[in-house]
């Protein structure tokens, strides 16, 4: 597995014009092998801090990195956990998807716990990615156990559900997800097929991108 991050290239491509009409361009990658032993599972950008946050499911650890990949800080769960996804909220706090316990955990930017976790069982027993859609103030969670994308409120109440096998071509293993504010669409990766999907929040496919051809990544997670 390549322990690399190329999300900066994709994020930078969104900053000019309409994402749905834009061309994705790979700008650069950097290795995380010396910092995150098994490789990052989920990743998020913190605009206020101009930093990256990444999670590693193998050791239930959250990492703070500079945008050039330098290590800043980390926090490891003292109890069993399986951190797979992460997102940054408008107030700066973080939400982490725990795919082992079926929970969403909340943290401050300094990696302190910020309140009790939200239990997603049995709605989402294995959440992988999590993203906030600011237009609706709702959370979108991917779950590769049920092959679905779920829309939830902050209490974990199910508001809507999309089966990724209903999309053509279908997701086979939905993992990371993000909300793109310019288009209002969701971006989700399928690490089984190494593809990025742009879909509306209502579940309509806008386009797909071959990430392996674009970046060389054969197992994209976040």
């Amino acid at each position: 597995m390549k322990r690399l991050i190329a999300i900066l290239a994709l994020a930078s491509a969104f900053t000019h014009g309409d994402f749905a009409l834009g061309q994705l361009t790979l700008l650069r990658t950097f290795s995380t092998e010396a910092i995150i032993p098994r490789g990052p599972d989920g990743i998020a950008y913190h605009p206020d801090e101009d930093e990256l946050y990444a999670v590693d499911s193998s050791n239930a650890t959250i990492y703070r990195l500079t945008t050039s990949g330098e290590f800043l800080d980390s926090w490891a769960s003292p109890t069993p956990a399986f951190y797979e996804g992460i997102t940054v909220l408008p107030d700066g706090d973080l939400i982490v998807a725990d795919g082992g316990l079926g929970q969403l955990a909340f943290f401050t930017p300094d990696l302190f716990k910020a309140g009790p976790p939200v239990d997603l069982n049995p709605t989402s027993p294995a959440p992988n990615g999590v993203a906030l859609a600011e237009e609706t103030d709702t959370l979108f969670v991917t779950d590769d156990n049920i092959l679905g994308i779920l829309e939830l409120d902050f209490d974990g109440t199910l508001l809507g559900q999309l089966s990724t096998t209903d999309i053509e071509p279908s997701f086979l293993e939905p993992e990371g997800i993000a909300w793109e504010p310019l288009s209002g669409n969701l971006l989700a990766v399928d690490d089984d097929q190494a593809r990025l999907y742009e879909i509306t929040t209502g579940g309509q496919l806008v386009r797909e991108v071959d990430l392996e051809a674009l970046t060389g990544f054969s197992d994209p997670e976040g």
Side-chain angles (χ1 to χ4, degrees), residues 19-20 24 167-171 187-188 190 193-199 205-211:
F19 168 76
L24 293 181
I167 296 174
E168 181 59 42
S170 63
F171 285 59
L187 308 171
D190 178 352
Q193 301 177 99
R195 305 192 79 80
L196 170 73
Y197 292 79
E198 180 183 6
I199 59 175
L205 178 66
V206 177
R207 67 166 169 170
E208 57 168 324
V209 177
D210 185 339
L211 286 181

Side-chain angles (χ1 to χ4, degrees), residues 96-146:
V96 174
D98 187 330
L101 298 179
Q103 293 180 345
L104 297 179
F106 297 83
F107 294 85
T108 68
D110 294 328
L111 304 184
F112 292 100
K113 284 196 171 182
V118 171
D119 185 12
L120 300 186
N121 290 291
T123 303
S124 179
N128 297 101
V130 57
L132 171 69
E134 294 183 34
E135 286 182 343
T136 56
D137 196 34
T138 55
L139 300 172
F140 285 84
V141 171
T142 57
D143 189 316
D144 66 358
N145 188 52
I146 62 173

Side-chain angles (χ1 to χ4, degrees), residues 3-28:
R3 300 164 190 172
L4 300 168
I5 287 179
I7 198 71
L8 291 176
L10 301 177
S12 297
F14 303 153
T15 59
H16 301 290
D18 185 349
F19 168 76
L21 301 177
Q23 176 66 42
L24 293 181
T25 303
L26 177 63
L27 300 180
R28 64 188 178 98

